[in-house]
Amino acid sequence: MEDKEIFMEKLVEIEALIDSEKIVELNEYLTEVHPLDIAEILTELPEGKKQKLFQVLPWELAAKVLDELDSDTFSEILSSLSQGQKKRLLDLMSQDDMVDLLGELSEEKRHEIINLLDIDDAEDIKELLIYEEDTAGGIMTTDFVSLRKDISIYNAIEYLRENAPDAETIYYVYVVDKNGKLAGVISLRELIVSKPTTLVEDIMNENVISVNINDDQEEVAKVVTKYDLLAIPVTDTNGRLRGIITFDDIMDVIEEEATEDIYKFAGTMETEAELYEEDKFFPRVLSSVKARLPWLIVTLFGGVMSATILSRYETTLNSYAAVAFFMPLLTGMGGNVGTQSSTLTVRGLAMGHVEAGKSMKTIFQEMSIGACVGIICSIVVCIVAFFWMGNIKLGMVVGISMAVNMITAATIGTIVPIVFKKFGVDPAVASAPFISTALDITGITIYFTLTTILLLS
Amino acid sequence: MEDKEIFMEKLVEIEALIDSEKIVELNEYLTEVHPLDIAEILTELPEGKKQKLFQVLPWELAAKVLDELDSDTFSEILSSLSQGQKKRLLDLMSQDDMVDLLGELSEEKRHEIINLLDIDDAEDIKELLIYEEDTAGGIMTTDFVSLRKDISIYNAIEYLRENAPDAETIYYVYVVDKNGKLAGVISLRELIVSKPTTLVEDIMNENVISVNINDDQEEVAKVVTKYDLLAIPVTDTNGRLRGIITFDDIMDVIEEEATEDIYKFAGTMETEAELYEEDKFFPRVLSSVKARLPWLIVTLFGGVMSATILSRYETTLNSYAAVAFFMPLLTGMGGNVGTQSSTLTVRGLAMGHVEAGKSMKTIFQEMSIGACVGIICSIVVCIVAFFWMGNIKLGMVVGISMAVNMITAATIGTIVPIVFKKFGVDPAVASAPFISTALDITGITIYFTLTTILLLS
């Protein structure tokens, strides 16, 4: 709320400066604003003013602002520039941000931009565009410096002086052997405090934690978080150093993956997580419908199955209409307790708390929790049913069904994701809608079987 | 899986080295292992061997291992050391990790440890223990160096040489005025490349992004992720620099908050997120029951309300038993579509995608999505009901109820979290169990009202 107000204030001030063509003041004002904020302001400005504002920015800052833009505004701004301006700005941009932007542009625009780059950069960018977006290769940058292990510290520092300003991070420098294989890591601090004649390999740390270029970004995030790394080197299957991933990209991955998990859990495709950026109404609705409908159709047929099962107990329903009254309560409570167990198991599997070897323990634990809450709830409901209906038998049946159903639900909710994981299926498929529909079916079966046996006998 | 094997291999190798008392080899082997891995190995070792292993570690490494231990193993190891050893190790430990560990120990043990510290450190630690665990103050460290803005670069570098080795990060150094107020930031690189006679204030960047000591850790994480910061300074209400928070702590916060959101969403207390570390069976089950039962009891009474409403339609149920068959389908689908909408809204509010000003747009959007999926599902179900029951009227009633119910569910699922947020209630309270129970009630009302009107008229 407060942030929003500060932002609006800045926006108004900048618009006023553009309108009154106070170029010097505008320039001065902008150097005090964070590039990300300038990018946000740029997006909000009307057509003609965007270009005016951008032209005022110094080169370095302009490139940083481009890094932060969404692909629409990016290509809009770019198309208003001369070839020379474009080329210069693209050279200054951060490579991994550029790859992300290019990935979202049309084939044609992408080629146009790549053609403007230096041959080396163009090759790098083309290579990076090949990797899947959610792998180490897809989020790494090749814009880093590495040192040969057989050079002296003096030469290493000289080399860094010349080459580092472009690179994303130089707090840690990775060391390679003559074949380009990752051999170690050295911190800027170690370089500075060591004797200039020492060889890099003598002071480097050989225990460097790295990831493979094809590793899933979730795995990469796990390693980086575990060891609190500022950056992690990426190697190919031959152990050659191919790129690095920095902590800021990892923070984005953690957030992205969490959102995806939450969305999957609610029974919608993870693609919907990206839709919030989509501002147009109809494409947004259409994509959401596409993302959610598959889950709903599956659960719809689950519901039809419930209906089929229920139709078998028509006699019971006709003899005791009161049995139907408690049906939503029974299925609802089963769904709730099952959702709790399945969510904890899915998240536990994702975070590595639930391990394959310990799955029996987890199942037994969740079953016990289900039994405790099931028995407490069944006593409450038994009392309610008895006093309301004045029928002790009905109260007992509802209570017993509730307890059995809740224990079953907790067990199924835990087993399904574990089994999915074992067979290589994403455990998150055991989402809330899926689990509660499955539990509706077991719940109804349990309830009506017990009712028919106990009430009609 | 693979990681696990590597870990077990290391564990076996280390145990063998301890057993054969090969101290030199053990020492050599351990210097190649990451402190975090040593900490994990230490936890797995049997009683006597823990101490043996720990005694072999060099001081610096031993302190790093202590940083990574859980509080039980930490106090176990510590109690086996002499006062002198304890004192030396505690001085070498990272301050924020120590605060976390102390927070988990008993009052008595905490005092014992604090008394071993230097007076300055003890004061800092005591102060840090006061802040709420989930605020900026609770996760910051006071173990950092800052520069006065009125000194020369030469003096600044000298000062850092003397004081920095202890500090958590020196890639960025924060600058304060003579009253200790945060005035700017300067990178290690800028310091090194600037003329030694320049004043710090002349080259520092005055636009430093900071957080308040009382800010919620979620807010801090948002700022750090937005601006991709390596560290963020923490100030008190007078603008004085009180501490810094580094990126590694922020990565933990992002993960912690995501897990909490997912747990809350499934209808269990966020405290349960911390229970996975609890290894004892019964305390774990008991805590889980305590965390989940409140939600279940609330939804239990929701279910009783459903039952009450249903009992009013006893006549309808008695005339058409088939109406009951479709009840789980109706309430289930309402719950699913409502859960989808509420999840997206809750996450959207947390991530800042859904804004207070734009809430009408979000509601309308989700309503439209509900209408689309509702109409598609209702056509399917209408056809199924017609062919199965051979009753066109029943098919129509079920279909219409389904569509109305799904649109209502999507709307309620969106409005409830937004309204909660407006009144300062955590939107995550609109969890899956809560929403689906509420929607059971509306769903049953809609279905039976329509059935009674259309079928019995």
Side-chain angles (χ1 to χ4, degrees), chain A residues 321-333 336 381 384 388-389, chain B residues 298-314 317 327 331-332 433-448:
Chain A
V323 167
F325 302 167
F326 291 97
M327 196 162 62
L329 176 61
L330 259 292
T331 55
M333 294 303 286
N336 291 344
V381 94
V384 169
W388 181 19
M389 297 288 154
Chain B
V298 170
T299 54
L300 178 66
F301 281 96
V304 172
M305 246 167 92
S306 297
T308 322
I309 293 166
L310 268 178
S311 70
R312 299 228 189 102
Y313 294 101
E314 200 168 347
L317 273 170
M327 195 162 62
T331 54
F434 180 85
I435 284 288
S436 52
T437 306
L439 293 178
D440 273 2
I441 298 173
T442 56
I444 288 166
T445 312
I446 290 170
Y447 181 43
F448 279 89

Side-chain angles (χ1 to χ4, degrees), chain A residues 45-60:
Chain A
L45 282 176
E47 200 59 18
K49 289 180 188 168
K50 281 194 175 93
Q51 282 75 12
K52 273 192 191 157
L53 176 65
F54 196 79
Q55 295 286 1
V56 174
L57 299 171
W59 288 106
E60 293 271 341

Side-chain angles (χ1 to χ4, degrees), chain A residues 32 207 227 265 267 292 340, chain B residues 32 37 207 265 267 340 366:
Chain A
E32 298 284 303
N207 258 301
Y227 295 104
F265 177 70
R292 299 184 201 177
Q340 289 178 339
Chain B
E32 298 285 302
D37 293 329
N207 258 301
F265 178 70
Q340 289 177 338
E366 289 297 323

Side-chain angles (χ1 to χ4, degrees), chain A residues 10-58:
Chain A
K10 280 187 192 158
L11 184 62
V12 169
E13 203 153 339
I14 285 176
E15 269 205 79
L17 287 171
I18 296 174
D19 289 339
S20 54
E21 309 219 345
K22 291 186 178 156
I23 303 304
V24 182
E25 282 90 338
L26 183 59
N27 188 306
E28 210 162 280
Y29 185 86
L30 287 171
T31 52
E32 298 284 303
V33 183
H34 194 283
L36 181 64
D37 292 329
I38 300 182
E40 281 182 3
I41 287 165
L42 210 57
T43 320
E44 296 290 323
L45 282 176
E47 200 59 18
K49 289 180 188 168
K50 281 194 175 93
Q51 282 75 12
K52 273 192 191 157
L53 176 65
F54 196 79
Q55 295 286 1
V56 174
L57 299 171

